[in-house]
């Protein structure tokens, strides 16, 4: 997984469907969706030049995990 820590809580499917069709999976997890959104913001704000992409990837997944944790609070 490229050094990215896989979280046990992935938030479930980002776009749940009732009919999984031929492929039998629910698509990307909410964690992946959050990380993707954070990645876009990070690239728009800081850019990529001179930055280690593995560090950025880890950082956006940390953000995604924080979003999932905040979402779970009452």
């Amino acid at each position: 997984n490229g050094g990215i820590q896989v979280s046990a809580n992935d938030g479930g499917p980002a776009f749940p469907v009732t009919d999984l069709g031929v492929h039998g999976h629910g698509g990307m997890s909410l964690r992946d969706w959050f990380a993707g959104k954070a990645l876009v913001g990070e690239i728009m704000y800081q850019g990529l030049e001179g930055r280690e992409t593995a560090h950025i990837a880890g950082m956006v997944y940390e953000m995604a995990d924080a979003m999932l944790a905040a979402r779970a609070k009452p």
Side-chain angles (χ1 to χ4, degrees):
N1 66 10
I4 305 301
Q5 183 178 358
V6 177
S7 174
N9 175 17
D10 68 1
F15 305 103
V17 294
T18 55
D19 179 14
L20 298 179
V22 176
H23 301 290
H25 60 80
M28 77 168 55
S29 70
L30 186 56
R31 182 176 187 249
D32 288 334
W33 175 254
F34 283 164
K37 292 299 199 176
L39 178 62
V40 170
E42 182 63 23
I43 291 171
M44 293 296 295
Y45 183 69
Q46 295 286 344
L48 289 175
E49 184 140 354
R51 299 176 72 199
E52 188 177 327
T53 55
H55 172 74
I56 297 168
M59 184 177 59
V60 299
Y61 272 98
E62 285 179 25
M63 289 179 183
D65 290 340
M67 285 186 259
L68 287 170
R71 188 172 183 263
K73 291 181 181 179

